[in-house]
């Protein structure tokens, strides 16, 4: 789910402050601790080979985040694609791969245990 900043409902606007809120932006029930993550990614990065060996060869962890700059396309298990770009909020449900279209920096919040498992797997893949 991609949401451009201007598409997030303005709930309150007073001099010096604008409060925007997107309701129902994913569900965290059933998860324990959340990690805050900052990723710097170069154009061309594709997680497909890094996720090989995970269940379904995809990342099975949900992520909520914000694109500081760049453009990233996710592909889900069914082959559906969605592209997020600078200033977009996003929710990536479990079951995705990621391809970086333009150099990007993103902030994500993810279930700590699940995403640590994915990151550890990627580290092992890069070590051979």
């Amino acid at each position: 789910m991609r949401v451009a900043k201007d598409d997030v409902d303005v709930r309150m606007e007073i001099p010096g402050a604008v409060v925007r809120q997107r309701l129902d932006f994913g569900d965290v029930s059933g998860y324990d601790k959340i990690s805050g993550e900052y990723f710097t990614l170069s154009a061309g990065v594709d997680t497909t080979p890094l996720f090989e060996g995970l269940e379904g060869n995809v990342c099975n962890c949900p992520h909520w985040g914000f694109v500081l700059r760049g453009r990233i396309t996710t592909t889900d298990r069914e082959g559906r694609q969605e592209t997020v770009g600078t200033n977009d909020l996003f929710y990536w449900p479990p079951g995705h791969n990621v391809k970086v279209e333009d150099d990007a920096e993103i902030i994500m919040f993810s279930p700590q245990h699940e995403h640590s498992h994915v990151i550890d797997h990627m580290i092992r893949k890069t070590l051979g």
Side-chain angles (χ1 to χ4, degrees), residues 8-127:
V8 177
D9 294 336
V10 174
R11 296 288 311 278
M12 182 178 81
E13 188 167 1
I14 59 174
V18 175
V19 176
R20 296 175 181 269
Q21 183 182 36
R22 178 62 174 234
L23 300 176
D24 301 321
F25 198 64
D27 183 354
V28 294
S29 57
Y31 292 104
D32 193 9
K33 295 184 179 188
I34 299 290
S35 60
E37 303 157 345
Y38 189 105
F39 280 58
T40 303
L41 305 161
S42 295
V45 167
D46 184 348
T47 61
T48 304
L50 294 174
F51 292 165
E52 288 176 1
L54 293 172
E55 181 184 337
N57 297 318
V58 292
C59 177
N60 289 295
C61 179
H63 310 285
W64 295 260
F66 180 78
V67 182
L68 296 168
R69 70 177 177 93
R71 199 163 47 100
I72 300 170
T73 298
T74 56
T75 304
D76 70 14
R77 287 185 184 106
E78 288 76 38
R80 290 182 300 246
Q81 294 187 326
E82 181 176 66
T83 300
V84 296
T86 302
N87 291 327
D88 284 344
L89 291 171
F90 64 86
Y91 168 65
W92 294 338
H96 60 271
N97 270 295
V98 174
K99 181 158 188 202
V100 181
E101 307 294 336
D102 297 325
D103 291 351
E105 292 183 63
I106 61 173
I107 295 170
M108 292 196 313
F109 301 93
S110 309
Q112 184 171 299
H113 175 75
E114 287 80 358
H115 204 217
S116 292
H117 170 73
V118 173
I119 292 170
D120 290 344
H121 178 84
M122 290 191 300
I123 291 168
R124 286 192 299 275
K125 292 290 276 189
T126 61
L127 296 176

